[in-house]
Amino acid sequence: MHINPAQSRIIQITEYETKSFQQDEISDLAGIELYKKHKTQVDVEFPSYKTRNKWQIKAKGWVGYIPLNSGFALKINPKVPIQNLFGMLEYAYNLKSFSFLEGLMDCESIEDFYNRLAYILAQKIIERCRKGLYRAYIPRTEQLSYGRGRINLQQIIQKPWNVKLKCEYEEHTADIIENQILFWTLFNIGHSRFCSEKVSLIVRQAYHAMQGMVTLQPCNSADCIERQYNRLNEDYRILHYLCRFFLENIGPSHERGNHEILPFLVDMARLYEIFVTEWLKQNTPQGYFFKQQHLMQIGQNRQFSIDLLLCDAATGKTVAVLDTKYKTPEKAASSDIHQMISYANTTQCKQAFLIYPKDLTQPLNIKSDNIQVRSLTFSLQDNLNHAGQTFLKNLLPPS
C-alpha cells in the first residue's frame, strides 16, 4: 500500500513533550504500530482510566516523520528553531561548503528539507550516470571455457579432463562500493515514501539509470565516511555526504519488504554530538586541536569512547575531556559527573566539561580529586556561530 504523506491523517507532537489526544483521534491500529515498531522514538500510553481515556504520546528526542500503514502519520517537530536544525545538519554531514544548499535555509519544514536534498542527490546521480559511473579493477576468479587473465596451470595438470579453466583476472566494473552506496540510498529513499510526486519521479529515474550496472547491496552510514577520492571520482565526495545523511536518518524498519514504509527520523542527541564536534573542528582556536570518539582501554576486555578531547597542539597532551548531553535537566546527573571524573583520570587531565544545548537551572562547577567538572552551554536557540564563539570563550582557559 503506497501512502503519500499528503494523504495521511497527520498527528503532530514536539520532541520531549507529552501530548494528549482524544480516543477517536488515533486508531487502535496506529497506536499498536507506534508502540510495537517505534518504542525507541516515542512513548505511547493507550486510553485508560489512568489517562482519562485519552492517548498520551511523547517523543524521546527524535524529530521527523513516521508514516503508518493504518493511514495515519506522526510528525515530530523539533524544539530547536527550524533554521538551526538545518544549520546543524549542514555541519554534521559536511554540507556547509556547498553552494547548492543556500536555498535550503528557506525551507519551512523538515519534509521540505528532505525533499530538496533527495532531489539534489538524484539529480547529481543522473548527471554522473550520463558521464559514466566511476569504475575500478576488481580481482575475479572464475571457471571459464576460454582463457582469460592468469590461468591456473596446476589445475590443468591435475585435472586434464576438466574443460573449464580456472582463470584469475581483473574486471573493470562499476559494481563497486562507491556506486553501491548510491544505489542502496536511492532504494531507501524510494521506500521511505516521504517524497513528493515530483521528487519520487526523479529518484526512480536515478535508480533505473544505475540498474543493471550495480548490484543492490546493503550499506550503512559508516560506509560513506573516510572514503578515498581522486581526480576521477572527486564528485562522489558530496554524493556520499548526502547518502550518509539519508542512511543515518531513514529507518529503522523491522520487516523490510517491498511494501514496507520507512520513517524519516533524526536522533537529536546524536545530531547534537556530531554538530558540536564538526563545528569545533572547523573553528578550532590556535594552539589546540580536538580528538573525537577517542577510545580508551580499561582492563583487558573493556573500553569506552569519549566524545571529545581538547588537546594542546605543542605538547599533544589532553587539556580537557568533553561530553555532549542533548537533554536539559535542571542539574547534571550524578552518573554523568562520575563518568567525567573517570574520563579525566584516564586521560590524565584536570578539566572535564558536560555540554548542554541550554543553561542548566543549577549550573555545575565542582572539584573532585583536583579535577574540575563544569557544565557549559552550546546553545541551539540563537545564531549557531555566535553560540559557538560564546562556548569557546567559556571553554578555554584565559591566556
Side-chain angles (χ1 to χ4, degrees):
M1 179 171 58
H2 188 121
I3 294 178
N4 188 317
Q7 298 170 346
S8 300
R9 183 176 175 186
I10 299 175
I11 304 157
Q12 296 197 47
I13 60 176
T14 302
E15 56 169 326
Y16 286 126
E17 291 181 4
T18 301
K19 188 169 181 180
S20 295
F21 297 89
Q22 297 296 332
Q23 190 167 358
D24 60 359
E25 288 185 83
I26 301 174
S27 72
D28 289 341
L29 280 176
I32 291 167
E33 190 176 349
L34 266 181
Y35 177 76
K36 288 174 69 174
K37 293 188 177 180
H38 301 287
K39 57 180 67 176
T40 303
Q41 291 84 31
V42 291
D43 281 326
V44 180
E45 285 280 350
F46 287 73
S48 65
Y49 178 78
K50 175 186 169 186
T51 64
R52 298 182 180 179
N53 290 318
K54 292 182 179 180
W55 293 91
Q56 287 189 348
I57 301 179
K58 179 182 180 180
K60 294 182 178 180
W62 297 69
V63 303
Y65 190 91
I66 303 175
L68 303 169
N69 282 309
S70 53
F72 281 78
L74 177 66
K75 182 182 176 185
I76 308 170
N77 296 310
K79 294 180 80 171
V80 176
I82 198 79
Q83 284 200 342
N84 280 354
L85 174 63
F86 299 156
M88 291 168 71
L89 290 166
E90 285 179 354
Y91 272 104
Y93 296 98
N94 292 304
L95 305 175
K96 190 72 182 170
S97 58
F98 297 97
S99 58
F100 66 77
L101 286 176
E102 288 172 4
L104 291 174
M105 292 304 286
D106 299 327
C107 296
E108 295 181 357
S109 68
I110 199 166
E111 302 100 307
D112 195 12
F113 187 79
Y114 178 98
N115 266 275
R116 292 205 206 177
L117 275 188
Y119 186 83
I120 290 165
L121 175 63
Q123 221 177 18
K124 287 186 173 295
I125 290 174
I126 290 171
E127 286 171 14
R128 182 66 214 216
C129 287
R130 285 173 183 153
K131 289 194 299 183
L133 291 173
Y134 177 61
R135 292 171 178 264
Y137 286 98
I138 302 296
R140 305 278 192 206
T141 301
E142 282 187 273
Q143 299 281 350
L144 300 173
S145 54
Y146 57 89
R148 181 176 183 182
R150 182 182 170 193
I151 299 171
N152 190 322
L153 293 175
Q154 189 175 4
Q155 184 205 37
I156 296 174
I157 294 167
Q158 290 175 343
K159 300 178 180 179
W161 60 85
N162 191 345
V163 295
K164 290 200 171 182
L165 305 173
K166 186 177 182 182
C167 302
E168 296 175 4
Y169 62 96
E170 288 193 333
E171 182 182 8
H172 196 222
T173 177
D175 195 12
I176 53 177
I177 183 66
E178 283 80 3
N179 293 316
Q180 288 165 0
I181 290 170
L182 309 185
F183 201 40
W184 180 250
T185 304
L186 289 171
F187 174 80
N188 277 269
I189 292 172
H191 278 68
S192 74
R193 312 289 174 88
F194 196 61
C195 295
S196 65
E197 294 286 339
K198 176 186 174 184
V199 175
S200 293
L201 177 63
I202 194 168
V203 168
R204 285 196 297 272
Q205 287 174 354
Y207 185 84
H208 291 313
M210 298 188 77
Q211 212 166 15
M213 293 186 286
V214 183
T215 54
L216 190 63
Q217 295 284 349
C219 300
N220 58 46
S221 59
D223 294 322
C224 307
I225 301 170
E226 295 180 358
R227 304 215 62 81
Q228 297 299 311
Y229 302 98
N230 54 51
R231 64 182 181 82
L232 298 177
N233 71 346
E234 180 57 38
D235 58 332
Y236 275 67
R237 188 186 302 272
I238 179 57
L239 296 179
H240 290 156
Y241 286 160
L242 289 167
C243 287
R244 182 189 170 196
F245 166 80
F246 287 107
L247 293 179
E248 209 154 67
N249 297 308
I250 293 177
S253 168
H254 297 293
E255 300 166 3
R256 181 73 60 81
N258 290 334
H259 302 291
E260 184 71 16
I261 303 168
L262 303 182
F264 169 64
L265 289 160
V266 178
D267 182 348
M268 291 299 290
R270 175 70 178 142
L271 176 61
Y272 183 60
E273 176 191 324
I274 299 173
F275 160 69
V276 170
T277 299
E278 291 299 325
W279 190 94
L280 290 174
K281 281 167 61 179
Q282 292 183 38
N283 296 275
T284 304
Q286 193 172 2
Y288 297 94
F289 68 91
F290 288 96
K291 285 184 186 175
Q292 67 181 109
Q293 294 299 320
H294 185 68
L295 283 176
M296 296 296 300
Q297 198 77 31
I298 42 172
Q300 194 170 6
N301 300 312
R302 293 187 63 192
Q303 62 180 20
F304 59 81
S305 175
I306 303 173
D307 279 4
L308 272 173
L309 299 182
L310 174 66
C311 303
D312 186 286
T315 64
K317 290 184 177 179
T318 302
V319 176
V321 291
L322 301 88
D323 201 32
T324 55
K325 300 293 177 187
Y326 182 67
K327 287 185 75 171
T328 50
E330 289 195 356
K331 62 179 182 179
S334 298
S335 57
D336 291 336
I337 297 170
H338 292 314
Q339 183 183 53
M340 295 310 289
I341 292 171
S342 173
Y343 287 173
N345 275 321
T346 306
T347 55
Q348 298 181 339
C349 71
K350 301 297 181 186
Q351 295 284 331
F353 298 94
L354 288 163
I355 306 168
Y356 297 90
K358 268 176 83 176
D359 293 339
L360 298 185
T361 308
Q362 300 177 38
L364 175 68
N365 189 353
I366 62 168
K367 200 164 191 177
S368 174
D369 297 329
N370 291 322
I371 295 170
Q372 192 85 23
V373 187
R374 290 197 289 145
S375 60
L376 287 181
T377 304
F378 196 127
S379 175
L380 301 177
Q381 297 305 309
D382 306 310
N383 178 282
L384 293 178
N385 285 319
H386 292 165
Q389 294 302 330
T390 301
F391 170 80
L392 283 178
K393 284 179 187 175
N394 294 323
L395 170 68
L396 297 173
S399 52

